[in-house]
Amino acid sequence: MNARIPTSLPFADWAKQVQSGMEDVLDRFLAPVSVVPARLHEAMRYTAMDGGKRVRPLLVYAAGDVFDTPLPLLERAAAAVEMIHVYSLVHDDMPCMDDDALRRGKPTVHVKYDEATALLVGDALQAQAFATLSAPLEAELATADAGMPARQLRMLNLLAQASGSVGMCGGQAIDLASVGMTLSLSELEQMHRLKTGALLRAAVLLGALGGKALTADESAALDDYARAIGLAFQVVDDILDATADSATLGKTAGKDAADNKPTYVSILGLGESQALAEKLRGNAHQALAPFGDKARRLRELADLIVQRKA
Amino acid sequence: MNARIPTSLPFADWAKQVQSGMEDVLDRFLAPVSVVPARLHEAMRYTAMDGGKRVRPLLVYAAGDVFDTPLPLLERAAAAVEMIHVYSLVHDDMPCMDDDALRRGKPTVHVKYDEATALLVGDALQAQAFATLSAPLEAELATADAGMPARQLRMLNLLAQASGSVGMCGGQAIDLASVGMTLSLSELEQMHRLKTGALLRAAVLLGALGGKALTADESAALDDYARAIGLAFQVVDDILDATADSATLGKTAGKDAADNKPTYVSILGLGESQALAEKLRGNAHQALAPFGDKARRLRELADLIVQRKA
């Protein structure tokens, strides 16, 4: 992606451009296979560069549209948040965690390579996420805005917090501890707020933070939006896990029930879960009202998250 | 540590003050056990906060002395580089890697807790390292020097590069691939240059980068120093693994030979390995000549690294 994607494009085309552009951006920020150790770099690319829905990058770019964030910052943020997401999947699939053999329709890293390589691929992708977000900016951009390093620093701190023990890793620890237990709806919500919500929220805020300084009202509105789509994302995940097949999902379906994991469907039932997802979509739209037409892509992403089939 | 440690202290006292100060600094930058998820935070503290030699923090503070780096930056850098080191040990000890049950005289994390927790402890410690180094500075410091955010950003990028696939993780991947193989001396050196050398170098440069801008000559001299002590550290590690007992080391001794891993001792023999360590100590001292007396702690650390018994 060398230029901003016009907002006049239909959503599906816009999304496709972001998704295919992400392959280029990731290619730029991951070491080539020709660099030693070749096998590690090959495995990092195997898992990071094969499409996927790229929901988090889409959120970064959509939020960037609202706040006119410079493209080089959006690219770094989108690549970094996706690397964090991908590393978490690689580790999550390992035998000591979910022990899953299939991801995005392909063998998982520890199956295709080996467990030690999967561990290192995840570790190295996390490091590369922070290397990417802290990478020096093009000289024109750095000199055009003296506040740029401070902004980049805030973005790094946000991503690090969202990824760690009070964010994504913390949510996974709660998830592990909850297998076979009866969770209340609010306990389930807290787990997902950390496990998937924190990184989705980070994606929205990263896209915004790279632009002009946010007012307290704007921050609060983005937080409301992020909370709604974060929760909706998980509710829909649980619905799909219960209703879709593995071929459609590109990963093992029905796994939550088999693993005896508490889900929205197991607690609320299918109908109420679907109603909740729809209600959260409404909340997300409502939160975006102050941003008017500039938030069009964020609105469309809330729709995508709730209406997706995989 | 609220104030800089006087350079007039004897080395052993200085080192002791840095080491005990690190417990406070880590305590400040790790989430308390009272924060959810409690078990994850307990396990992170179990592995991060029990002493250890703190070689990397010592290097950060020693390099900071040469370049008058502000204390808050030294604290962040020392904590961050130590968290990266500790996370790498936790993952390295897991069954799919070195499968080690003992570390610093205590059960390793996956033995004391479980494998999934060890995986998450490592992941969360890595994230916390970057959260720590990007943490906002005290207002006085931030306003006293407008170049501070750019400096912090360079430090983050350095640490991320040193930790990832072209640094520490890359070295571990080469190490894994070399088990049971015959390595040449230069292949062994390349592996260790990444596996342990990259992070030791980062520690030296982090301490320096937080201070005044380095000249090209100063950078080159620090690099020479870091290369010499990085290599010396590994040569001495191999000597100790072959000659000391587990009780002294606080970890399983004789493991390299048992695992059929190439080491300096297996390639060069014991006598030549000891001579190499001594030669590298001389190289380290020589590299520091331009810095005069301000580099006294860095000199003493080179001595410590070569003359240590554990």
Side-chain angles (χ1 to χ4, degrees), chain B residues 28 57 59 62 113 144 233 236 242 248 273:
Chain B
R28 213 160 4 109
L59 287 167
Y113 296 86
F233 189 88
V236 173
T248 309
S273 297

Side-chain angles (χ1 to χ4, degrees), chain A:
Chain A
M1 268 174 294
N2 293 313
R4 220 169 243 289
I5 304 164
T7 33
S8 56
L9 273 189
F11 175 74
D13 297 333
W14 173 84
K16 220 170 272 170
Q17 282 208 24
V18 171
Q19 285 159 339
S20 71
M22 275 313 291
E23 301 299 304
D24 296 336
V25 174
L26 287 169
D27 181 47
R28 210 156 12 104
F29 285 111
L30 289 170
V33 176
S34 56
V35 169
V36 172
R39 190 165 177 270
L40 180 65
H41 289 132
E42 183 198 294
M44 289 168 76
R45 287 170 167 264
Y46 169 79
T47 190
M49 292 193 53
D50 72 325
K53 296 187 289 285
R54 310 293 190 204
V55 172
R56 292 152 197 82
L58 287 166
L59 286 168
V60 170
Y61 282 95
D65 263 1
V66 186
F67 298 94
D68 301 316
T69 304
L71 194 60
L73 272 183
L74 288 182
E75 290 178 348
R76 280 165 177 76
V81 74
E82 188 68 5
M83 286 177 200
I84 294 284
H85 172 60
V86 170
Y87 112 67
S88 79
L89 299 180
V90 172
H91 281 184
D92 215 32
D93 286 335
M94 285 178 68
C96 67
M97 299 278 284
D98 281 357
D99 195 11
D100 222 321
L102 197 64
R103 171 72 68 180
R104 291 179 182 170
K106 298 194 309 185
T108 46
V109 178
H110 67 97
V111 170
K112 168 91 176 173
Y113 295 85
D114 53 71
E115 271 186 63
T117 301
L119 184 60
L120 290 175
V121 161
D123 289 346
L125 279 172
Q126 177 168 193
Q128 193 54 33
F130 294 106
T132 298
L133 197 50
S134 62
L137 290 170
E138 289 74 2
E140 318 88 82
L141 188 61
T143 51
D145 183 344
M148 205 54 96
R151 212 180 290 176
Q152 235 177 317
L153 207 51
R154 272 202 303 281
M155 293 167 74
L156 276 156
N157 195 248
L158 174 79
L159 183 64
Q161 303 271 7
S163 310
S165 68
V166 293
M168 186 183 74
C169 289
Q172 283 175 309
I174 300 176
D175 189 17
L176 276 174
S178 72
V179 171
M181 283 177 56
T182 312
L183 292 192
S184 70
L185 197 59
S186 75
E187 287 170 330
L188 186 71
E189 221 175 278
Q190 200 220 4
M191 187 249 285
H192 289 308
R193 195 174 46 75
L194 296 179
K195 193 184 170 194
T196 51
L199 203 57
L200 291 166
R201 173 176 178 270
V204 174
L205 292 180
L206 284 174
L209 272 181
K212 69 170 190 62
L214 302 182
T215 67
D217 281 354
E218 287 171 336
S219 271
L222 283 180
D223 252 343
D224 287 344
Y225 169 80
R227 198 174 315 117
I229 59 149
L231 209 52
F233 189 88
Q234 194 54 51
V235 174
V236 172
D237 239 30
D238 287 354
I239 293 172
L240 290 172
D241 186 73
T243 58
D245 57 34
S246 301
T248 309
L249 291 182
K251 61 181 179 182
T252 314
K255 216 168 172 310
D256 295 334
D259 290 349
N260 199 14
K261 280 198 179 180
T263 71
Y264 283 97
V265 175
S266 74
I267 296 182
L268 292 178
L270 190 58
E272 252 193 79
S273 297
Q274 282 160 335
L276 176 59
E278 197 48 47
K279 182 179 154 252
L280 289 166
R281 186 166 76 96
N283 294 352
H285 279 255
Q286 209 174 346
L288 295 175
F291 303 118
D293 194 52
K294 293 204 97 174
R296 179 176 143 206
R297 298 301 184 202
L298 285 176
R299 263 179 220 104
E300 291 168 329
L301 279 171
D303 298 342
L304 174 77
I305 283 169
V306 171
Q307 292 160 352
R308 70 203 160 99
K309 300 292 170 225

